[in-house]
Amino acid sequence: MTDGIESRLKEERKFVPSAEFSAHARVQSHAEYASLYTQSIESPEEFWRDQTCDLVFRTRPTSFLEWNLPKAKFFGGATLNITESCLDRHLKTAARTRAAIVWEGEPGDTRTLTYFELHRETVRLATQLASLGVRAGDRVAIYMGMVPETAVAMLACARLGATHSVIFGGFSSDALRDRINDCGAKLLLTQDGAWRRGSVVPLKQMADVAVAQTPTIEKVVVLRRIGGEKAPVTMKEGRDIWWDDLVAREAAPEHRAIAENPAAFDAEHPLFVLYTSGSTGKPKGVLHTTAGYLAGAHVTSKYVFDLREGDLYWCTADVGWVTGHSYLVYGPLSCGASCLMYEGAPNFPDPGRFWQIIERHGVTILYTAPTAIRAFIRWGDDWPNKANLSSLRLLGSVGEPINPEAWTWYHRVVGGGRCPIVDTWWQTETGSIMLTTLPGACFSKPGSTGLPFFGVDIAVVKDRGEPCGTNEGGKLVIKRPWPSMARTLYNDDERFVSAYWKQIEGVYFTGDGARKDEDGYFWVVGRIDDVLNVAGHRIGTAEIESALVSHPFVAEAAAVGKPDELKGQALVVFVTLKQGQTANAETKANLSKHIEKEIGKFARPDSIRFADALPKTRSGKIMRRLLKEVASGATEAKGDTSTLEDLSVLAKLRADED
Ligand code: WT7
């Protein structure tokens, strides 16, 4: 796989959706897309009113937007309970007995929850969360894996107006503790363990370590997923409750009442906080609110995935990331879609697992990440070829730039040449898809994320906000607020304003570099800030560095990305050790373990390199660009490159050149 950014620069192929696909699509031509787009920009109030008329509002909005940086108030006057759009409204239609979640566990067990059942489970849990004292405005942490109960937990919180914060199950105890403490969650929902590649991730044990240092957590609710000695659990008297025992309790009438006939909340009521990485060491608690977020997730799900009756839609993202929030839970459920949810790894018990799942359940829409696609390519065409994938009609990609070779493989081998691909660009902060093609209306170009979605006023600009010309590279910015945008960073309005709205005055800066071509198609290059995208995981270099320097052996550290065929970017760290410490394999293993403890397994570096000193500018700033070159092998480091690199020498050579 040699095609990276260069081939994306040369890519000129266009893939037109089949006449058959377009004939049944929600939006059937480019002209139709363009006219809806124009309406969404020129008359947003009308556009959003028309497009959200199937959602449930207790009181309808009276205004579209009041914008007073950093306060955005969308759909003013509206009140709603988001779960009524996702659950209750479907009970009055044919969707009542339709599968909401078709779940497959890693060991092969399966379960289906109809909309009726998902509603019932949500109400049962919400009732008991109320009995435990969870009230509107409280924060609830969810540290669970890919099981239907995670969706139930999120919906139960939303039903009560409690703000959920899902913490990805790959995070360590320390990371969990910090996130709980940042948002002040009073309750934690977790499970005994989660299956991953045949072994158990001991979520409850990790939660115990975290909760020992979280003064706000009062109760821990534990789902029994694994059971038995594979996932030993210690229940702390008075604090820990088994999920099954909890929902089996007799309910007090007043708790039943708030769960069955839930309150309506203001459009701007906080729905969830989701932590993501930024360019400082402290993760950002991205806050999303109710009506605008729902509107964005709903309308994009409907149009981008072209959802219709009979579809079985599979988003492979973990529910612990924003993709799982918007396109596994809120978006598709608000459309009454049937969603597939899979618990485990794509190569367990063998690399054919995804294709067997598609065949077994008849998946029609698949939404996955380039890093997964590149792994499938490596595992060989036999695995997908062996399965019957004829049920698929639409494919999606998200999370990082897709290289044209991976795109065409996905199109040919998985999609049989007949399925359009939507390459969707968005972020935790945007809440929903911002750039994409509409599958029946627009051609796609491999590697391009396509056109702006409805209501998205997006551009490529220079440092001071002047527009870039056609095909000129620059910064990707969004020029006006959109309904599903993050409203703030939890308890940190100031950082919200400075990180996103002040980098380039008056517009939202995404952190990405991009260009826009002669057809108006966007080509996203990737992050241009200190954030890496490693196998679709967003990792802040500053977070890695602060984890490293908290280790007693480390004097100084710098983390950079290096192009990687499989992961998109690989994480390379340069470390200088304190006097007396030895630069050897054992130290490397220790440092790697340390990062695993501080952040999680997924953040372990791909390579650790020791240096005598880090190259710095005269003002003492680490020369990351130089380190990036060294990491990529573009610049030869002098001296013994295998262990000790004298990067200061290199820096001096560099300074002479400049
Ligand atoms: C960053 C956001 C919300 C999606 C999951 C990741 C990169 C995302 C694409 C795409 C090129 C993409 C960007 C963005 N990204 N989708 N289709 N093409 N790059 O959400 O963790 O908030 O990361 O992912 O760099 O800024 P996230």
Side-chain angles (χ1 to χ4, degrees):
M1 239 172 293
T2 48
D3 68 330
I5 190 116
E6 297 76 20
S7 72
R8 288 173 78 243
L9 288 172
K10 291 198 299 267
E11 184 59 50
E12 278 172 359
R13 280 171 296 180
K14 293 178 184 172
F15 287 76
V16 180
S18 70
E20 210 229 314
F21 190 99
S22 296
H24 298 284
R26 280 182 192 271
V27 180
Q28 306 188 345
S29 67
H30 187 275
E32 210 184 314
Y33 155 76
S35 102
L36 271 167
Y37 180 75
T38 307
Q39 189 208 11
S40 73
I41 295 295
E42 287 174 2
S43 325
E45 189 152 357
E46 260 170 57
F47 173 86
W48 290 100
R49 188 193 54 216
D50 295 352
Q51 297 298 333
T52 57
C53 62
D54 48 347
L55 299 175
V56 184
F57 288 100
R58 219 57 85 72
T59 51
R60 304 286 317 180
T62 49
S63 70
F64 173 64
L65 168 66
E66 288 161 49
W67 173 231
N68 190 359
L69 181 78
K71 292 271 174 274
K73 205 171 156 188
F74 277 93
F75 306 115
T79 58
L80 71 162
N81 187 294
I82 192 170
T83 66
E84 291 188 316
S85 287
C86 296
L87 300 171
D88 303 60
R89 84 178 181 101
H90 304 308
L91 303 189
K92 301 181 204 111
T93 70
R96 185 174 190 276
T97 50
R98 182 188 300 159
I101 299 178
V102 177
W103 175 79
E104 185 165 315
E106 197 185 67
D109 42 344
T110 59
R111 241 171 93 198
T112 297
L113 276 92
T114 62
Y115 272 93
F116 169 78
E117 290 164 329
L118 185 61
H119 174 267
R120 187 190 58 202
E121 295 309 306
T122 301
V123 170
R124 284 211 307 168
L125 182 65
T127 304
Q128 296 302 340
L129 292 183
S131 81
L132 295 178
V134 174
R135 295 288 176 267
D138 288 345
R139 273 82 55 218
V140 172
I142 301 174
Y143 184 56
M144 296 176 69
M146 292 288 279
V147 289
E149 284 81 359
T150 310
V152 171
M154 292 160 74
L155 292 163
C157 290
R159 199 150 178 100
L160 299 175
T163 304
H164 59 72
S165 187
V166 182
I167 294 113
F168 171 56
F171 276 115
S172 66
S173 304
D174 288 9
L176 173 63
R177 174 201 63 204
D178 294 347
R179 284 157 182 74
I180 289 174
N181 287 338
D182 189 76
C183 71
K186 81 191 247 191
L187 188 125
L188 170 68
L189 293 131
T190 187
Q191 59 190 72
D192 55 354
W195 287 111
R196 188 75 193 174
R197 215 162 275 125
S199 43
V200 173
V201 184
L203 292 174
K204 171 64 162 75
Q205 285 178 21
M206 310 224 284
D208 285 339
V209 177
V211 172
Q213 294 174 39
T214 57
T216 53
I217 293 286
E218 295 165 11
K219 300 278 178 203
V220 178
V221 178
V222 189
L223 177 77
R224 201 188 309 261
R225 159 63 184 133
I226 311 281
E229 62 211 36
K230 288 214 171 81
V233 162
T234 325
M235 297 294 277
K236 186 169 170 189
E237 187 73 40
R239 186 196 70 185
D240 300 352
I241 313 152
W242 287 108
W243 184 299
D244 279 348
D245 294 344
L246 178 69
V247 293
R249 285 182 187 171
E250 199 178 323
E254 69 271 26
H255 300 140
R256 207 138 106 202
I258 19 180
E260 278 173 8
N261 304 303
F265 302 102
D266 186 86
E268 291 298 340
H269 188 75
L271 178 65
F272 66 85
V273 178
L274 188 57
Y275 287 88
T276 189
S277 297
S279 50
T280 72
K282 189 175 181 291
K284 295 167 162 174
V286 173
L287 180 90
H288 282 284
T289 58
T290 308
Y293 173 77
L294 173 65
H298 178 69
V299 175
T300 48
S301 295
K302 189 155 86 180
Y303 285 107
V304 180
F305 301 114
D306 193 44
L307 291 169
R308 61 173 95 121
E309 224 170 310
D311 271 323
L312 179 60
Y313 155 88
W314 182 15
C315 166
T316 69
D318 195 282
V319 68
W321 306 115
V322 75
T323 311
H325 282 57
S326 301
Y327 298 111
L328 192 60
V329 181
Y330 291 108
L333 294 180
S334 73
C335 294
S338 297
C339 309
L340 192 124
M341 185 183 206
Y342 168 58
E343 180 183 37
N347 56 350
F348 187 86
D350 63 47
R353 186 61 185 267
F354 267 32
W355 322 121
Q356 289 147 18
I357 290 176
I358 292 169
E359 173 175 323
R360 185 158 42 244
H361 301 278
V363 172
T364 60
I365 303 166
L366 175 67
Y367 190 34
T368 194
T371 189
I373 298 166
R374 291 189 296 260
F376 295 138
I377 297 177
R378 191 168 276 195
W379 295 333
D381 294 13
D382 269 6
W383 294 106
N385 285 345
K386 269 201 290 206
N388 179 350
L389 304 180
S390 60
S391 57
L392 288 172
R393 66 180 192 89
L394 175 60
L395 304 174
S397 174
V398 62
E400 51 179 314
I402 183 165
N403 47 314
E405 183 182 295
W407 196 102
T408 46
W409 183 90
Y410 194 30
H411 189 258
R412 179 171 48 84
V413 179
V414 180
R418 72 183 178 279
C419 307
I421 297 181
V422 289
D423 180 359
T424 61
W425 176 91
W426 59 295
Q427 311 178 294
T428 305
E429 294 86 343
T430 69
S432 62
I433 293 167
M434 298 281 105
L435 287 172
T436 181
T437 47
L438 292 189
C442 318
F443 55 79
S444 350
K445 304 187 188 193
S448 164
T449 56
L451 300 162
F453 187 74
F454 304 136
V456 179
D457 189 1
I458 190 163
V460 181
V461 302
K462 298 181 192 164
D463 285 348
R464 284 209 208 87
E466 316 93 306
C468 285
T470 302
N471 282 321
E472 189 185 352
K475 295 180 167 174
L476 187 65
V477 300
I478 307 180
K479 288 159 64 180
R480 59 168 103 175
W482 63 99
S484 67
M485 70 181 206
R487 295 299 190 263
T488 193
L489 296 177
Y490 195 79
N491 272 340
D492 204 347
D493 282 351
E494 215 169 285
R495 187 173 177 201
F496 177 68
V497 173
S498 65
Y500 303 108
W501 295 96
K502 288 285 171 199
Q503 306 258 337
I504 301 171
E505 196 54 43
V507 298
Y508 169 89
F509 176 47
T510 62
D512 279 350
R515 70 182 165 93
K516 184 171 143 180
D517 73 13
E518 53 289 347
D519 294 317
Y521 275 52
F522 285 81
W523 298 75
V524 174
V525 182
R527 306 290 310 197
I528 48 178
D529 53 8
D530 295 324
V531 173
L532 304 180
N533 192 328
V534 179
H537 291 309
R538 182 163 153 182
I539 296 178
T541 52
E543 268 170 81
I544 301 287
E545 289 162 8
S546 66
L548 281 168
V549 297
S550 74
H551 190 281
F553 291 7
V554 176
E556 222 175 10
V560 296
K562 154 189 165 179
D564 184 271
E565 277 190 9
L566 208 57
K567 299 175 160 191
Q569 278 186 304
L571 172 61
V572 179
V573 300
F574 292 86
V575 174
T576 61
L577 294 173
K578 285 189 186 151
Q579 202 92 67
Q581 301 304 334
T582 329
N584 58 16
E586 197 188 329
T587 306
K588 283 188 188 179
N590 275 332
L591 296 181
S592 190
K593 267 259 161 263
H594 183 68
I595 291 180
E596 180 179 336
K597 177 181 168 293
E598 295 271 311
I599 303 171
K601 266 202 173 108
F602 67 92
R604 284 182 307 196
D606 297 281
S607 129
I608 298 178
R609 297 167 72 157
F610 296 112
D612 293 334
L614 296 179
K616 296 209 180 120
T617 61
R618 232 167 260 170
S619 60
K621 274 182 99 175
I622 294 176
M623 298 167 83
R624 289 167 184 289
R625 192 190 294 246
L626 178 63
L627 290 176
K628 246 161 118 172
E629 285 172 26
V630 174
S632 318
T635 308
E636 270 299 302
K638 303 283 182 306
D640 180 1
T641 52
S642 61
T643 51
L644 289 167
E645 285 162 311
D646 187 1
L647 295 167
S648 57
V649 172
L650 201 61
K652 270 184 218 127
L653 288 175
R654 243 348 198 31
D656 291 345
E657 272 171 37
D658 289 347

